[in-house]
Amino acid sequence: MNYTAIADRPDESHHPTTFVTKYIWSQDHKVIAIQYAGTAIFVGLIALVLSGMMRLQLGFPDSFSFINPSDYLQFVTMHGMIMVIYLLTALLLGGFGNYLIPLMLGARDMVFPYLNMLSYWTYLLSVIVLLASFFVPGGPAGAGWTLYPPQSILQGTPGNDMGIIMMLASLGIFIVAFTMGGLNYVTTVLQARAKGMTLMRMPLTIWGIFVATILGLLAFPALLVSAIMMLLDKLVGTSFFMPALVSLGEPLSYQGGSPILFQHLFWFFGHPEVYIVALPAFGMVSDVIATHARKNIFGYRMMVWAIVAIGGLSFLVWAHHMYVSGMNPYFGFFFATTTLIIAVPTALKVYNWVLTLWRGNIHMTLPMMFAIGFIFTFTHGGLTGLFLGNVVVDLPLSDTYFVVGHFHMVMGVSPIMVLFAAIYHWFPKITGRFLNTSLGKLHFWITFLGTYAIYLPMHYLGFLGVPRRYFAMGADYIPESAQTLNASITVSALIVGLAQLVFIANLLWSIFRGQPAGDNPWNATTLEWQTATTPPGHGNWGAELPVVYRWAYDYSVPGVKADFIPQNCPQSAVELVADERAAADVSGERGGPYNEPTA
Amino acid sequence: MNLLHKLTEKPWLAQPEGAELALAEDTSLRFPARTALKFFIAIVSVLFFLFSITFLSRSQFPNFQALAGEPWLPLSHPSQLWFNSGLLLLASVGLELAKRQAARQRVNGLVLALGFAVICSIGFVIGQYLVWLQLSGMGFTISANPANSYFYLLTAVHALHLLGGLLALARLIYLFGERPNLASLQQNLSLCALYWHYLLLLWLFLFTLLAAPADAYRAIAAFCGL
């Protein structure tokens, strides 16, 4: 069987001819990527509005009559679930994974384009089911994004009826969509690489996406198992997770189930999920930093090994989310140890990013600003993770704002900083135009400083003992100074939220009016920048597939005239400087015609 | 070892001219669907592994009553399940035969073997449904006991995977009708055969698990530290 993705001369009959097959029922990975990204950003904006509503209530309690305690819990639940799964997972893997895998590997498309298309439409269905739950009687699920039973399906919890059913159904549909997409990503990486593209010549972006996809394929079944079993508990009356209970004075028919079992299953998915989001971000930020510092990534092999090690270890740390649920002390000790061990490859990556910047020819472009911002936010979020990984420290802090501050820094802000870096970096390839630099800088500074204004004080509130998940603290429950801080967090959050409108406006304006960028504006080495047309046409590469002659990080190679050598450039075509002394002279500042956008 | 060797390459070192082309295998030899199927089998295995772990864990709670072990329990003599297992085994054999017939370009034998495999597969699903009816008729309904819940759940999820396989097989036969290509059919039938063999093994595992007595669960759970 001949697969279009790896065929040197694609079958012309596969080219879409009508508007519908080109842009709607499209099997082209680039269109599917944009569909994924558009849907994910749309649903992410809804989650952003929900967080704004939560912050309004927390910052100014008793001021907004349209937010009652049930609404608040539903906002918390939907915000968390949407952001983690329907935005981050979908945008990083469905969006960037789809766009970059074939282009960076020199393939024409994913190996199963039809399955890829089905993946997107199934994802869209899951989003529609999830959003529809806002309009069912009782509203959406309100049990917290972890959906812990028994309270998630019991009377008294908002959305305990149709809301939770639709949430679980939507998750099941999402997992089917992800599995279809994920099978495509791993198979394409393993089977559709261009000639010469060995595994160790793949850009780190691909390594991150590849390992994250394997994590997803192995971790999402845990969520599926728990969703199916909880649906049966809710709909059929089984007792997988439900213990014997008395609800509203009436004994229920459930007996003997174990809520802790659900927690194990949920976090067996939930912790790898952190790395499903983080690993693609690690990969993309590595490529952004190397390109904009005009320097090869420091310790490429270590970076690859660290990605693989983090992927493996991520399955051994799940119970650190459950210290407060109670467990055998040896169990806690084991998970605290593995949690601290996983910090080693993670820290190694941070050092390597910083060492890549060291003495690099740093161009303070927008992608680079967001990438450096990411190093800050990720380091701060990671360090507080070391606190929480220890059982004795976690127990008093677990239900406080310290945890909210920690995981938003490490899993919210950090991947989103990378997503912005990636969007500013690859937008010129996707559309052929730059995003506006002035608006971008405004967006960066408000977002970067604003997120610190939001999340740093939360750590302090956590130390004070301010509990998370509460609708209102009450006048005497926390000191007035803490409430003042809470109000300031809300003001910051609203400003950061509004700043994202600047980004959306920039995105929309630049698609049509942005400064033209050319094929390879950043003088990058990786294959996606070497396409004949920008944006790349259907089939990506014209008549012949590219051949790869080198790794992805030949920046500022001593003795070479230009400061980068594309991966598809043979040694014989590399232009050397006249003599070795000249080579030494220019090795530090060989800036080629770096087509930076004007402000 | 090969993977270890690949992961220790030093890609920043210059390769001799022309070495890149030697590194890449012939693309016509690649068969992505086989890779995808192997991953899919891994995913399904994880799914059932997790179901099984929760089953073993749940079996140690006081109100769990195993479906086998005592003479009056329904799965102590599961003759219908043995019959169903035989059907699935025959289906698996049928697909293997169909694959070999396709390799020898014998269309008549291929059609016979495929028809046999499909009938046996559908027979298995119907047989499982009959077991459901028997069990619920005897009062072993899905919510009466966690052991029953798991029986219905695991057999249903397994049967759904078989039905998914049948859908894929139907598509294969349809595509063959559109564009007859025995070489391609043989390649794809080898995937179906692999999937059916896997589902057979999976079923035998589930059968063993579901029809085990309470003592066996206790022993396994103790061994796993549950």
Side-chain angles (χ1 to χ4, degrees):
Chain A
M1 184 181 281
N2 198 6
Y3 284 84
T4 311
I6 48 182
D8 232 354
R9 292 178 186 283
D11 183 359
E12 291 298 317
S13 66
H14 286 154
H15 279 266
T17 47
T18 64
F19 180 85
V20 171
T21 52
K22 204 169 177 182
Y23 296 112
I24 299 172
W25 301 111
S26 174
Q27 298 184 33
D28 187 313
H29 71 102
K30 300 181 289 296
V31 178
I32 295 171
I34 292 166
Q35 289 173 325
Y36 249 116
T39 311
I41 291 174
F42 168 74
V43 77
L45 286 173
I46 293 175
L48 186 72
V49 171
L50 293 178
S51 67
M53 308 268 266
M54 281 146 56
R55 281 313 319 177
L56 281 178
Q57 165 59 30
L58 289 170
F60 308 100
D62 306 325
S63 307
F64 302 98
S65 58
F66 58 89
I67 308 173
N68 65 37
S70 292
D71 294 337
Y72 176 80
L73 292 174
Q74 288 166 326
F75 296 162
V76 172
T77 307
M78 298 302 277
H79 166 79
M81 195 60 97
I82 290 176
M83 285 296 194
V84 171
I85 293 189
Y86 299 85
L87 168 71
L88 288 174
T89 309
L91 186 50
L92 282 161
L93 295 177
F96 281 98
N98 251 318
Y99 199 88
L100 293 176
I101 290 173
L103 276 169
M104 281 189 148
L105 293 179
R108 294 199 181 282
D109 208 312
M110 292 288 179
V111 287
F112 309 116
Y114 186 77
L115 199 64
N116 206 20
M117 179 184 77
L118 272 186
S119 167
Y120 168 69
W121 289 101
T122 315
Y123 162 65
L124 183 66
L125 178 66
S126 74
V127 169
I128 291 171
V129 171
L130 186 78
L131 295 184
S133 74
F134 277 102
F135 305 103
V136 295
W145 89 280
T146 52
L147 309 178
Y148 279 1
Q151 101 281 6
S152 58
I153 59 176
L154 285 182
Q155 276 200 324
T157 306
N160 76 311
D161 202 11
M162 279 308 287
I164 187 74
I165 291 171
M166 292 184 77
M167 166 71 85
L168 295 171
S170 167
L171 287 174
I173 299 168
F174 178 88
I175 293 166
V176 172
F178 178 83
T179 305
M180 291 195 277
L183 283 175
N184 244 322
Y185 309 153
V186 289
T187 314
T188 304
V189 170
L190 290 176
Q191 297 267 313
R193 303 192 304 275
K195 281 185 181 173
M197 180 65 88
T198 60
L199 285 178
M200 293 304 273
R201 280 180 176 175
M202 296 197 306
L204 287 167
T205 298
I206 299 297
W207 268 108
I209 291 171
F210 176 57
V211 177
T213 306
I214 294 177
L215 290 192
L217 289 175
L218 299 180
F220 271 113
L223 184 63
L224 185 63
V225 164
S226 45
I228 291 173
M229 286 163 58
M230 188 140 78
L231 260 184
L232 289 175
D233 277 3
K234 172 73 188 166
L235 295 174
V236 190
T238 55
S239 301
F240 291 116
F241 303 130
M242 298 296 284
L245 284 161
V246 175
S247 174
L248 306 177
E250 293 288 322
L252 300 181
S253 60
Y254 299 115
Q255 51 172 335
S258 166
I260 298 284
L261 200 56
F262 177 90
Q263 297 186 17
H264 279 296
L265 278 174
F266 184 87
W267 289 113
F268 188 76
F269 146 77
H271 199 84
E273 170 64 27
V274 174
Y275 293 99
I276 292 167
V277 170
L279 291 182
F282 290 172
M284 293 196 294
V285 84
S286 305
D287 284 349
V288 168
I289 287 175
T291 304
H292 296 268
R294 317 306 297 157
K295 214 179 137 195
N296 60 334
I297 191 79
F298 189 92
Y300 172 83
R301 281 198 304 176
M302 286 287 178
M303 293 298 248
V304 172
W305 296 344
I307 286 175
V308 175
I310 292 170
L313 285 168
S314 70
F315 281 102
L316 299 175
V317 297
W318 80 89
H320 69 211
H321 298 271
M322 297 166 53
Y323 291 148
V324 289
S325 302
M327 62 177 74
N328 185 318
Y330 291 114
F331 209 50
F333 174 75
F334 172 81
F335 282 101
T337 309
T338 52
T339 303
L340 297 185
I341 290 173
I342 208 170
V344 176
T346 315
L348 189 148
K349 295 189 80 68
V350 175
Y351 289 130
N352 283 0
W353 291 319
V354 176
L355 287 167
T356 305
L357 291 173
W358 177 254
R359 303 194 71 185
N361 181 8
I362 297 174
H363 293 240
M364 269 300 176
T365 54
L366 285 169
M368 188 58 142
M369 290 166 81
F370 276 100
I372 294 173
F374 158 81
I375 297 178
F376 278 93
T377 57
F378 184 70
T379 307
H380 288 148
L383 285 174
T384 48
L386 291 179
F387 288 52
L388 294 171
N390 289 286
V391 186
V392 286
V393 186
D394 180 75
L395 289 180
L397 288 177
S398 183
D399 286 322
T400 70
Y401 268 84
F402 190 87
V403 171
V404 181
H406 156 70
F407 73 70
H408 276 91
M409 280 306 255
V410 79
M411 198 181 169
V413 177
S414 298
I416 283 176
M417 294 299 269
V418 177
L419 278 170
F420 285 135
I423 291 171
Y424 283 102
H425 182 73
W426 276 291
F427 189 82
K429 178 50 61 180
I430 298 168
T431 63
R433 294 175 185 276
F434 285 112
L435 283 158
N436 182 283
T437 307
S438 305
L439 287 177
K441 283 186 174 164
L442 185 70
H443 174 222
F444 169 76
W445 284 112
I446 298 177
T447 306
F448 180 66
L449 296 178
T451 50
Y452 270 98
I454 298 168
Y455 298 111
L456 265 190
M458 284 194 189
H459 294 83
Y460 171 69
L461 288 180
F463 274 130
L464 269 184
V466 177
R468 59 184 170 132
R469 305 193 187 100
Y470 281 28
F471 168 69
M473 307 296 168
D476 305 323
Y477 194 67
I478 58 172
E480 198 183 331
S481 60
Q483 186 51 44
T484 310
L485 206 51
N486 237 339
S488 101
I489 291 174
T490 296
V491 172
S492 309
L494 294 177
I495 293 172
V496 171
L498 287 174
Q500 306 318 306
L501 294 180
V502 175
F503 168 69
I504 298 291
N506 192 357
L507 211 59
L508 296 176
W509 183 82
S510 300
I511 288 173
F512 304 104
R513 298 287 173 84
Q515 186 188 331
D519 286 331
N520 188 4
W522 312 119
N523 287 345
T525 56
T526 41
L527 286 182
E528 80 276 22
W529 299 102
Q530 322 305 331
T531 54
T533 53
T534 299
H538 185 70
N540 293 344
W541 306 105
E544 301 288 334
L545 287 174
V547 176
V548 173
Y549 297 92
R550 57 192 68 251
W551 72 330
Y553 300 98
D554 267 345
Y555 289 107
S556 308
V557 179
V560 176
K561 205 166 186 181
D563 76 339
F564 73 108
I565 314 174
Q567 281 193 281
N568 60 345
C569 177
Q571 195 59 32
S572 54
V574 176
E575 205 175 338
L576 302 174
V577 288
D579 57 64
E580 288 197 4
R581 182 173 299 182
D585 287 346
V586 296
S587 62
E589 41 182 292
R590 231 184 356 261
Y594 195 76
N595 182 15
E596 282 184 52
T598 49
Chain B
M1 200 58 202
N2 190 21
L3 183 67
L4 202 64
H5 178 71
K6 281 181 183 168
L7 289 179
T8 51
E9 274 176 23
K10 294 179 177 173
W12 53 89
L13 299 179
Q15 297 281 329
E17 195 76 14
E20 295 75 20
L21 302 178
L23 282 172
E25 81 255 50
D26 182 1
T27 52
S28 65
L29 294 177
R30 297 180 191 173
F31 188 30
R34 178 170 287 275
T35 309
L37 180 65
K38 285 178 183 167
F39 269 100
F40 184 68
I41 285 177
I43 298 164
V44 178
S45 304
V46 171
L47 188 76
F48 279 94
F49 168 75
L50 292 167
F51 273 129
S52 309
I53 287 285
T54 62
F55 176 81
L56 286 171
S57 169
R58 186 72 178 83
S59 72
Q60 299 311 298
F61 285 76
N63 73 329
F64 183 92
Q65 287 167 350
L67 285 170
E70 305 293 346
W72 58 85
L73 290 172
L75 296 190
S76 291
H77 302 287
S79 49
Q80 175 75 41
L81 285 181
W82 280 115
F83 179 74
N84 294 349
S85 308
L87 282 176
L88 193 56
L89 174 70
L90 289 176
S92 195
V93 171
L95 270 170
E96 185 67 30
L97 283 178
K99 179 184 91 180
R100 294 181 184 198
Q101 295 292 322
R104 290 180 198 150
Q105 310 229 325
R106 293 183 190 159
V107 177
N108 286 346
L110 167 70
V111 171
L112 267 179
L114 263 185
F116 180 69
V118 169
I119 289 169
C120 287
S121 304
I122 294 172
F124 172 81
V125 177
I126 294 172
Q128 296 289 77
Y129 180 65
L130 291 178
V131 175
W132 278 23
L133 291 183
Q134 282 173 12
L135 277 181
S136 56
M138 293 159 72
F140 290 88
T141 53
I142 185 166
S143 56
N145 190 275
N148 310 358
S149 312
Y150 272 105
F151 183 86
Y152 287 97
L153 174 62
L154 291 176
T155 49
V157 177
H158 178 264
L160 276 178
H161 281 85
L162 185 62
L163 289 174
L166 279 171
L167 268 183
L169 188 62
R171 180 173 170 271
L172 198 61
I173 294 167
Y174 170 76
L175 288 179
F176 181 68
E178 294 269 294
R179 248 199 286 184
N181 178 350
L182 265 178
S184 160
L185 181 72
Q186 190 251 334
Q187 214 173 22
N188 288 318
L189 273 180
S190 71
L191 300 183
C192 288
L194 176 64
Y195 186 58
W196 253 255
H197 301 335
Y198 168 72
L199 286 182
L200 174 66
L201 281 178
L202 180 63
W203 165 245
L204 292 178
F205 166 73
L206 293 176
F207 188 10
T208 315
L209 185 73
L210 293 168
D215 293 345
Y217 299 139
R218 254 193 302 282
I220 301 170
F223 181 75
C224 297
L226 291 170

